[in-house]
Amino acid sequence: MPAGEGHALSVKVVLLPFAGGHSYSYRPLVEALPAGLRALTPELPGRGMRMSAPRLTNLPDMADDLVRELAPDLDGPWLLFGHSMGGLTALLLARRLRALGLRPPEHLVVSGVEGPSIYGGKKQRHQLPREEFRQEIRELGGSPPEILDDDEFFQFFEPILRGDFQALETFVYQPAPPLDLHISVLLGQDDDVSPERAQAWQVETSRPLEMRVWPGNHFFIFSQAPALGRFLAEKVGIQTKPDFRAG
């Protein structure tokens, strides 16, 4: 039964990290989630609370790790969200859950990433010299200036970022039967991911694909955090109050 004004239903929303992300990277979105949604922010190896674990440098291994980490918590209705690298990892995770007969998400929401079947041909940023690599990260946005501008901080985070970009830039798509799952694709209007390339997500679901373009760049998910929180809630039937801010 969908949750109404009283938010009787508590739905978990799993937020999969983007490149370089960790369990606290989604804090602005987590803080903006409406009542009735409870965030799960899994930690990939080699960062955050799992800093001592060996880093992973390919998406299939990341998906396998996420299955082990998340499976005990997927005992009720839940929503799956992934931004950029997290969107591709979300597809692999959903496929693995299907293969294992585990409970699928009620809805899959991905943002800032083109369809996996046409993903590829990306420049090999993970092999760039340090300063060129740092500039690429700066142009993408989403990384705090205090990390990019501080040599000691950047030296600490650089291996994590390089490993994630290696996972993205060596990703090889494997066709599989479409998921019986609602998928929504969100794009920033100033991002370089086009609606035409994002439309390729349709091959991953047997249901009609939903696509929306939001104000902002690649990391619009933070500038639009309150609206995104309401969007996620509505995907699982949680009623939210409209935002009447002037502007």
Side-chain angles (χ1 to χ4, degrees), residues 137-185:
I137 302 301
R138 194 187 307 278
E139 291 175 1
L140 277 175
S143 295
E146 55 266 27
I147 291 177
L148 294 175
D149 296 340
D150 186 293
D151 287 339
E152 186 174 345
F153 277 170
F154 187 72
Q155 185 175 0
F156 177 80
F157 284 102
E158 183 181 3
I160 299 171
L161 287 162
R162 284 190 185 275
D164 287 353
F165 275 95
Q166 180 179 346
L168 281 169
E169 293 163 355
T170 59
F171 172 68
V172 177
Y173 177 77
Q174 300 294 334
L179 298 164
D180 182 22
L181 186 64
H182 290 294
I183 297 181
S184 297
V185 184

Side-chain angles (χ1 to χ4, degrees), residues 4-71:
E5 291 296 326
H7 304 295
L9 177 66
S10 178
V11 178
K12 297 170 183 174
V13 53
V14 174
L15 306 173
L16 299 189
F18 43 84
H22 51 80
S23 60
Y24 292 100
S25 295
Y26 280 116
R27 178 171 290 180
L29 177 56
V30 171
E31 293 175 349
L33 290 177
L37 281 184
R38 180 164 65 89
L40 295 180
T41 54
E43 193 85 88
L44 289 171
R47 67 199 77 198
M49 295 178 290
R50 301 179 69 190
M51 184 61 69
S52 61
R55 288 188 300 272
L56 302 176
T57 57
N58 70 79
L59 296 185
D61 285 350
M62 291 180 183
D64 288 338
D65 183 84
L66 288 165
V67 169
R68 291 189 291 270
E69 188 173 354
L70 290 169

Side-chain angles (χ1 to χ4, degrees), residues 18 81 83-84 110-113 136-145 148 185-194 212-225 228:
F18 43 84
F81 174 82
H83 178 71
S84 198
V110 299
S111 63
V113 62
E136 289 281 341
I137 302 301
R138 194 187 307 278
E139 291 175 1
L140 277 175
S143 295
L148 294 175
V185 184
L186 311 180
L187 304 175
Q189 65 183 11
D190 299 322
D191 196 0
D192 61 1
V193 179
S194 69
R212 293 197 185 184
V213 179
W214 295 56
N217 58 19
H218 185 65
F219 280 97
F220 72 93
I221 57 173
F222 296 129
S223 61
Q224 300 293 320
L228 178 54

Side-chain angles (χ1 to χ4, degrees), residues 122-137:
K122 305 292 181 182
K123 50 188 176 181
Q124 298 297 294
R125 289 172 288 199
H126 71 280
Q127 296 179 339
L128 290 172
R130 171 172 292 177
E131 289 311 311
E132 293 180 40
F133 181 68
R134 177 157 32 185
Q135 184 58 30
E136 289 281 341
I137 302 301

